[in-house]
Amino acid sequence: MSTAPQSDAAFVPDESFVPTSHKGLTYPFGGAEPADGDVMTVAEGIRWVRLRIPGPLKHVNCWLLDDEDGVALIDTGMNTTEARAAWKAVFKGPLSGVRVTQMIGTHFHPDHIGLAGWMCDHHAAPLVMTRGEWLTAQMLVADARDGIPGEVTAMRVGAGWNEEQIAHAAERGWAGFRRIVTPMPLSFTRIKDGDTLSIGGQAWRVVVGSGHSPEHACLLNEATGILIAGDQVLPRISPNVSLGVTEPNADPLGEWFASIAKLKTLRDDLLVLPGHGDPFTGLHARLDAMDREHHERLDELEVFLSEPRRAVDCFGRLFRRAIGPDMLGMATGEALAHLRRLEIEGRAVRNVVDGVWWYRAI
């Protein structure tokens, strides 16, 4: 007999949920969200768990899909005491006696796969990810050297960090990733763009995007009109698109634009289940807004580069808030991604002076 929880189909169209709209998007649940340690049904056979995470995002969304003999879990939250306690409450409460049949990670970021290994161990569930995301996670877990790599310091100097900022980051060490990610299985099930996963008799097509992470997997159920988007599409913020030390000559923003164009080929009426924020409809409006925002940033940045600038000098043109020590790394990565894109488009050039990178418009 199946131990999968029975879906409460009547829960979804409940008239107590009053849809709200904002900037072309509709939020069908009107701001309702699952309580800590509880689940909320968003469609037949799909449940929502929201977990707290440190930092400005405050939470991450995880999705439970009814499967043949349990539930498939998409993303897990970070490896924190609070997140583990929340999951224990879920599996002792609304999902008591239910097993995880497969652990699907959208991408390698620790707020999404931080407890993937823990879940796989507890439920004897296979880990399902794209190869690019799994390899990146394993590399970051394995790279546990004590000191800050020289390439990282060189990039920070190049971006314009001062000695105090470099010293502060050095105090935090290098192996922070493995502290918030439980050990992952040594083997995994690879998924690729265009693959189809069968979950509870439903077909979910893998749609891979890039830019925010190397090989981010979204899951599309064309029959029911649902897209589990991870961080590839978020309703109110633009996901971080950063140039990183492992591939300093890459073009993450160009990959991001290509992924937006790819997702625009999907139908517009999908219910989007994002990694952060609330479920929404209005996919194309959101994709257009993200595309427009980044192109406007590039145009403004090009004007700003009428005089040589470093990456740190560009923060005021790219971000609407002051950048403190906790956000310095992400802000630097995003600034470098935009500057790199201007280079590739032939709109800017970089000169190196005493290890510092200076960019100017052509």
Side-chain angles (χ1 to χ4, degrees), residues 107 113 193:
H107 61 299
I113 55 98
D193 186 57

Side-chain angles (χ1 to χ4, degrees), residues 321-357:
R321 59 181 174 181
I323 301 300
D326 291 342
M327 298 299 295
L328 182 59
M330 292 180 66
T332 298
E334 184 130 355
L336 288 172
H338 283 76
L339 291 165
R340 177 63 180 149
R341 185 64 201 162
L342 288 176
E343 281 189 283
I344 290 173
E345 292 181 1
R347 298 162 67 182
V349 64
R350 183 184 75 168
N351 293 309
V352 183
V353 181
D354 295 329
V356 179
W357 306 336

Side-chain angles (χ1 to χ4, degrees), residues 309-325:
R309 315 282 187 179
R310 304 164 302 170
V312 295
D313 301 325
C314 300
F315 290 170
R317 294 297 188 275
L318 295 172
F319 311 113
R320 297 183 180 89
R321 59 181 174 181
I323 301 300

Side-chain angles (χ1 to χ4, degrees), residues 66-306:
D66 286 2
D67 207 355
E68 299 301 335
D69 58 348
V71 291
L73 173 59
I74 293 95
D75 291 343
T76 66
M78 200 175 289
N79 179 26
T80 64
T81 301
E82 187 174 27
R84 290 194 301 271
W87 278 120
K88 289 175 182 177
V90 167
F91 284 101
K92 288 180 180 178
L95 297 185
S96 178
V98 175
R99 65 177 291 265
V100 172
T101 60
Q102 50 187 315
M103 174 64 250
I104 303 170
T106 58
H107 61 299
F108 81 90
H109 292 164
D111 53 331
H112 292 264
I113 55 98
L115 288 171
W118 184 67
M119 285 287 183
C120 291
D121 286 345
H122 185 75
H123 293 274
L127 177 64
V128 181
M129 295 180 72
T130 63
R131 179 183 285 170
E133 301 296 330
W134 182 83
L135 285 173
T136 303
Q138 293 287 32
M139 177 269 292
L140 290 170
V141 169
D143 188 359
R145 68 187 80 180
D146 294 328
I148 304 297
E151 299 95 329
V152 173
T153 299
M155 177 171 270
R156 290 168 176 173
V157 170
W161 287 28
N162 60 38
E163 291 183 1
E164 182 182 353
Q165 291 168 328
I166 292 172
H168 177 77
E171 290 175 0
R172 300 175 63 180
W174 174 245
F177 185 89
R178 68 173 183 171
R179 289 194 292 269
I180 48 178
V181 174
T182 57
M184 296 174 64
L186 194 58
S187 60
F188 77 112
T189 298
R190 181 188 178 190
I191 51 175
K192 306 182 300 297
D193 186 57
D195 284 353
T196 299
L197 297 178
S198 178
I199 303 174
Q202 295 282 335
W204 292 86
R205 177 161 64 92
V206 178
V207 181
V208 169
S210 187
H212 177 66
S213 66
E215 200 178 357
H216 184 298
C218 304
L219 296 180
L220 172 66
N221 188 324
E222 294 174 291
T224 59
I226 295 173
L227 177 69
I228 299 176
D231 283 359
Q232 202 66 33
V233 190
L234 301 178
R236 295 181 183 267
I237 61 171
S238 181
N240 180 263
V241 178
S242 283
L243 186 70
V245 69
T246 55
E247 200 177 349
N249 295 314
D251 179 23
L253 189 54
E255 294 179 17
W256 180 250
F257 287 140
S259 295
I260 288 175
K262 179 179 181 179
L263 289 167
K264 278 287 295 286
T265 65
L266 305 182
R267 52 194 258 205
D268 187 35
D269 64 345
L270 296 171
L271 173 64
V272 181
L273 307 182
H276 308 275
D278 293 345
F280 69 94
T281 59
L283 174 63
H284 289 192
R286 186 62 193 129
L287 293 170
D288 287 341
M290 291 193 300
D291 184 84
R292 182 172 58 251
E293 177 185 5
H294 283 290
H295 277 103
E296 288 174 352
R297 286 181 181 181
L298 286 173
D299 293 342
E300 186 174 351
L301 198 55
E302 182 181 15
V303 173
F304 185 60
L305 297 182
S306 60

